[in-house]
Amino acid sequence: MTNYYQKEIETIPREELEALQSERLVQQVKHVYENVKFYRDRMIEAGVSPSDINGIQDLHKLPFITKDDLKDQYPYGLLGVPLKDCVRIQSTSGTTGKRVVAFYTQGDLDIWDECCARAIMAAGGTKKDVVHVCYGYGLFTGGPGLNGGSHKVGSLTLPMSSGNTDRQLQFMTDLGSTILCCTPSYAFSLAESIEERGLKGKIKLKAGIFGAEPWTEEMRKDIEELLGIKAYDIYGLTEISGPGVAFECEAQAGMHIQEDHFIPEIINPKTGEVLPAGEVGELVFTCLTKKAFPLLRYRTRDLCKLTYEPCKCGRTHVRMRKPMGRSDDMLIVKGVNVFPSQIETVLINQGYRANYQIIVDRINNRDTIEVHVEMTPEMAADPNTYKEACEAKIAKGLLAMLGIKVNVKVLKPKTITRSEGKAKRVIDKRNLYTQQ
């Protein structure tokens, strides 16, 4: 039986949904024009006024906004309400420069909590569940988002935050956690620890809600098998609200975007042209209901495609496929586009677990790429017999996938540092030259 948190809106007929979107878009454009100088200036520059926007059919007339714009307007330049009406901020990690600070009114938080509640119930969550949240808390949106959603559902919520695996496993077994919320890489790390300590029979998990970093279908199958659960994808961005912008249902055939709050578009990342449904391009979002930090046509840099085909769960909101990568995170090595997810697919298909690193360098003006992956338990028992042949087999698989030669090193188990948050998969040493 399908679980809904707000069935009426989650299964609303498309015509009614689009009418609601149009009504909210008109209101939001008026709101930002009147309250955010940055938007008003951009719209005037583009020759657009609120009177030109009469519904979603006019969305394409509005200018795009990028992460650079958010950084340039730090901290208050995009604030859409008086500061006294804001009750919280959340922030990105700021690993590439200035942080992005997103503001929330109480109404914004209520909507975000509802979005996460829909995701938890789509994963089978009810008031009877124990929701184990080990996304990071604090400025990172993962913990607060799923925490608030779990409260809305009425589940017992364990606000564990990330790290301290011993404590995670103690509470998981003692309190009978049934739904696990964390990054897929940390879920995999927890699964390894459960297996090593012989705790699998004491774990009551039935589902996991995993996001905040890219992960492949092959990794999903591994996690599901190791933990004995059904693993659901969740998507979000701090800039938009946080996790819960889109989520998977039991069909596991794409993530339903919460279209009553967010309008998605797919564009050509080079030209900005809006692409038809079914084509791969850059995902763009417009916030319809967020008031404190409203973003219109925000370029996410995530590459994916949308499908409007009916879903067997009964939800009518469009589904986005798992992002295949980011247009700004894509590696160009020896002139070839390389996504970490392609490498992960080869490794997992050959029986390795998702503990790997990709090291890119430039030596004597030539790009090099090296992949480190850990031995399987069978290999570790007799490494001298397997190591060389396995490295050759992986290299052959990567050559077939990428079309370029990759150096491969198979390492002893537990060599690669485990992640308690977002996994650091790529080390691009070429960047060092531009930063000096």
Side-chain angles (χ1 to χ4, degrees), residues 96-137:
T96 57
K98 278 187 182 178
R99 287 181 175 270
V100 171
V101 176
F103 296 83
Y104 299 75
T105 65
Q106 186 57 53
D108 294 336
L109 291 179
D110 291 340
I111 288 171
W112 182 22
D113 288 348
E114 288 175 357
C115 288
C116 289
R118 293 181 193 176
I120 290 170
M121 292 198 68
T126 69
K127 290 183 178 181
K128 296 179 180 179
D129 281 293
V130 179
V131 178
H132 189 110
V133 184
C134 46
Y135 285 109
Y137 279 68

Side-chain angles (χ1 to χ4, degrees), residues 5 27-28 35 54 65 75 82 108 148 163 176 197 218 276 278 295 342 344 367 373 401 403 412 417 421 434:
Y5 178 68
Q27 294 171 351
Q28 187 73 307
N35 294 285
N54 298 302
I65 184 170
D108 294 336
R197 301 176 199 195
E218 291 79 11
L295 298 187
Q342 295 173 299
E344 183 174 300
D367 287 344
V373 65
M401 171 67 79
K412 293 179 181 179
T417 303
T434 60

Side-chain angles (χ1 to χ4, degrees), residues 22-234:
S22 288
E23 178 185 339
R24 288 180 170 177
L25 178 63
V26 170
Q27 294 171 351
Q28 187 73 307
V29 170
K30 187 172 184 286
H31 169 67
V32 301
Y33 191 87
E34 293 175 352
N35 294 285
V36 183
K37 181 180 182 300
F38 171 84
Y39 275 114
R40 186 164 57 253
D41 291 346
R42 277 290 180 90
M43 289 175 65
I44 291 172
E45 184 182 337
V48 182
S49 69
S51 62
D52 295 317
I53 309 300
N54 298 302
I56 56 175
Q57 71 277 4
D58 297 321
L59 182 61
H60 70 278
K61 298 177 182 178
L62 295 169
F64 293 112
I65 184 170
T66 68
K67 196 162 192 172
D68 286 341
D69 293 324
L70 272 57
K71 291 176 180 178
D72 290 343
Q73 296 303 309
Y74 172 92
Y76 296 123
L78 288 169
L79 195 59
V81 298
L83 193 59
K84 66 181 178 62
D85 293 337
C86 297
V87 298
R88 191 194 297 176
I89 67 159
Q90 302 286 165
S91 177
T92 59
S93 62
T95 54
T96 57
K98 278 187 182 178
R99 287 181 175 270
V100 171
V101 176
F103 296 83
Y104 299 75
T105 65
Q106 186 57 53
D108 294 336
L109 291 179
D110 291 340
I111 288 171
W112 182 22
D113 288 348
E114 288 175 357
C115 288
C116 289
R118 293 181 193 176
I120 290 170
M121 292 198 68
T126 69
K127 290 183 178 181
K128 296 179 180 179
D129 281 293
V130 179
V131 178
H132 189 110
V133 184
C134 46
Y135 285 109
Y137 279 68
L139 291 173
F140 179 58
T141 56
L146 273 300
N147 192 95
S150 179
H151 284 184
K152 286 284 188 182
V153 173
S155 307
L156 176 62
T157 309
L158 306 187
M160 301 298 299
S161 195
S162 57
N164 198 333
T165 297
D166 288 338
R167 184 177 62 191
Q168 301 282 0
L169 298 184
Q170 180 188 347
F171 276 65
M172 195 178 289
T173 52
D174 292 349
L175 296 175
S177 304
T178 55
I179 298 177
L180 176 64
C181 305
C182 62
T183 61
S185 56
Y186 193 47
F188 196 89
S189 180
L190 287 172
E192 284 187 319
S193 297
I194 289 167
E195 191 175 52
E196 289 167 2
R197 301 176 199 195
L199 295 176
K200 197 163 184 178
K202 298 181 180 180
I203 298 296
K204 296 181 180 178
L205 291 174
K206 68 177 186 181
I209 300 175
F210 307 132
E213 65 184 17
W215 56 307
T216 60
E217 286 301 311
E218 291 79 11
M219 189 173 181
R220 185 211 296 268
K221 290 172 186 174
D222 269 3
I223 292 173
E224 288 185 331
E225 183 178 337
L226 286 168
L227 288 176
I229 64 172
K230 193 164 184 178
Y232 296 85
D233 211 345
I234 190 169

Side-chain angles (χ1 to χ4, degrees), residues 266 275-281 304-309 318-319 321:
I266 296 292
L275 301 176
E279 290 198 25
V280 174
C304 69
K305 65 179 179 179
L306 305 178
T307 176
Y308 288 84
E309 295 176 3
V318 66
R319 284 170 288 157
R321 295 295 181 180

Side-chain angles (χ1 to χ4, degrees), residues 239-255:
E239 304 93 306
I240 301 298
S241 68
V245 172
F247 61 85
E248 273 189 321
C249 63
E250 68 266 24
Q252 292 180 312
M255 292 174 277

Side-chain angles (χ1 to χ4, degrees), residues 244-263:
V245 172
F247 61 85
E248 273 189 321
C249 63
E250 68 266 24
Q252 292 180 312
M255 292 174 277
H256 291 278
I257 294 172
Q258 316 237 29
E259 287 188 276
D260 51 326
H261 300 298
F262 313 102
I263 298 178

